[in-house]
Amino acid sequence: HYLTPVFFRRAVLDKYYADPDRYSVSDGMVRCAGLWGLRLDNDMPDHISVFLGDLGRDIPFDEAKYWRSFNIPPPEEGVSETLFRRAFLGQFADAQSPDLRFARLYEKTNDAWEARYGWPLFLPLHHDDSHVLAKLHVPAGDSQSEFDEQILYLAKLTVDSLNEAALKAAAGTGPKGEKGLRKLERFLAEAGFADAEELVRPLAQVQGLRSRGAAHRKGADFDITVAIGDLNRREGFELLLRSASDSLSRVRAHCEEEPPAADEEPA
C-alpha cells in the first residue's frame, strides 16, 4: 500500500509557510532544515496528497500526527495530473498551481531578460527579504489579513523590485515624476513588445491593491473588485497570480526570441 494517496486540507502547509527559516515548501516537496523532506502533491487547488509510504518513512512520528489532524476523505478529483505524469508515467511536467507557476516563471523570466539585455528586470531581494518568494502562496482561506499579506509579498517581488535605474538608462528620461511601472511600459513598447500596457496591467493591479489596501489604512477609494471582480479573496489572488504569470511568460518568450540584426527594425 506504499503508493496509496492520502489527502489533506491545504491549510496543513500554513505551518511551514509561516516559518521559512526552518521550513521550505516548493514544487512537490516540503523540507525541514535538512532534518527531513516529504514528497507531496501540492498542485491541486483544494487539497494536498502524499503517498502513504512516504508519510510513514520520511517524517517523524510527531510530524505525522500533525498531518493526521488535517486528513480528509479522498476527494473526487484525486491526485493532480502533474503527480500522475511524474510518478507513474515518468514524464517531465511543470506544476500548474498559480503560486508554483509564478515562482517558476519569475526566476526564469528574470534570467531570460538578463541574458537578452544584460541586466535583470527584477533586482535581487535584500537578505532580510530572502524569504518572500518562499512564503508567496495562494491563501488556504478567504481572510482579509492573509490576502493583504500575500499582496505585500507579490508587490515586493514585482513592483518594488523593478530595476528602475536600468530601465531609465535604457529607455531614456521620461516625463517628470514617471513611476517604475510607466518606465517599464515605455521600455517594453520601445523594445518591440506587443501590448506593453496589457503586459504591465497585472502589476499595476497589484500596486493598486497594495497602496489602497494592504499597506495603508483602507479608505473610501479602496475597492477590491477593481482587481478581482466578484471573486472571493482566495480566488482573486489566484487570478492575480495567473495574470502576472501570463505576462511573465510572454516577456520570457519575447526575450528568448532571436534579436533582430543591427540593421533591422524590431518586429
Side-chain angles (χ1 to χ4, degrees):
H1 302 295
Y2 192 104
L3 295 180
T4 300
V6 186
F7 297 90
F8 305 89
R9 290 184 285 117
R10 286 197 67 90
V12 70
L13 298 180
D14 287 352
K15 164 185 173 179
Y16 308 117
Y17 283 122
D19 189 359
D21 291 333
R22 185 176 183 186
Y23 303 105
S24 66
V25 180
S26 57
D27 180 4
M29 179 71 72
V30 58
R31 292 184 174 86
C32 175
L35 299 177
W36 54 261
L38 178 65
R39 292 179 297 179
L40 50 79
D41 177 15
N42 55 344
D43 202 24
M44 292 293 286
D46 298 317
H47 61 263
I48 302 293
S49 68
V50 184
F51 288 134
L52 180 62
D54 290 339
L55 278 171
R57 183 191 67 180
D58 294 338
I59 58 176
F61 180 65
D62 286 344
E63 202 69 29
K65 289 196 295 183
Y66 165 77
W67 278 77
R68 187 172 63 186
S69 67
F70 293 86
N71 187 217
I72 59 174
E76 182 178 347
E77 301 90 338
V79 301
S80 70
E81 180 182 355
T82 303
L83 175 73
F84 182 77
R85 289 177 59 189
R86 290 173 178 175
F88 298 106
L89 301 182
Q91 297 177 350
F92 175 82
D94 283 331
Q96 297 305 308
S97 180
D99 44 8
L100 299 177
R101 181 172 177 246
F102 175 85
R104 180 178 71 250
L105 285 169
Y106 180 81
E107 295 181 337
K108 289 184 178 297
T109 300
N110 214 29
D111 290 343
W113 183 286
E114 186 165 12
R116 179 71 177 262
Y117 297 109
W119 44 273
L121 175 59
F122 301 112
L123 295 170
L125 293 170
H126 186 276
H127 173 73
D128 292 341
D129 286 330
S130 59
H131 65 280
V132 170
L133 187 57
K135 293 191 72 172
L136 184 75
H137 65 279
V138 175
D142 190 35
S143 75
Q144 184 67 55
S145 62
E146 192 172 10
F147 179 83
D148 286 350
E149 180 183 51
Q150 293 303 315
I151 287 294
L152 287 173
Y153 291 152
L154 188 54
K156 187 169 289 189
L157 286 164
T158 55
V159 180
D160 295 347
S161 294
L162 278 176
N163 194 343
E164 290 196 40
L167 285 168
K168 181 178 179 180
T173 303
K176 184 178 180 180
E178 184 180 47
K179 303 298 184 182
L181 289 179
R182 182 67 186 105
K183 290 187 181 77
L184 174 60
E185 182 182 334
R186 190 160 55 83
F187 176 85
L188 293 176
E190 294 175 3
F193 286 78
D195 301 321
E197 182 180 358
E198 182 182 340
L199 288 174
V200 174
R201 185 175 296 118
L203 305 189
Q205 291 174 331
V206 171
Q207 183 184 45
L209 285 169
R210 189 271 304 274
S211 299
R212 294 194 297 272
H216 303 287
R217 183 178 182 274
K218 293 174 175 60
D221 65 338
F222 176 73
D223 186 359
I224 194 174
T225 62
V226 171
I228 68 173
D230 295 328
L231 302 173
N232 64 38
R233 294 178 186 86
R234 177 187 170 184
E235 294 168 339
F237 192 72
E238 286 185 344
L239 176 63
L240 288 170
L241 283 177
R242 288 195 187 98
S243 298
S245 295
D246 289 344
S247 288
L248 290 176
S249 180
R250 291 169 59 191
V251 168
R252 178 190 176 194
H254 182 97
C255 290
E256 291 178 345
E257 292 176 355
E258 286 293 327
D263 58 348
E264 294 180 7
E265 290 294 328

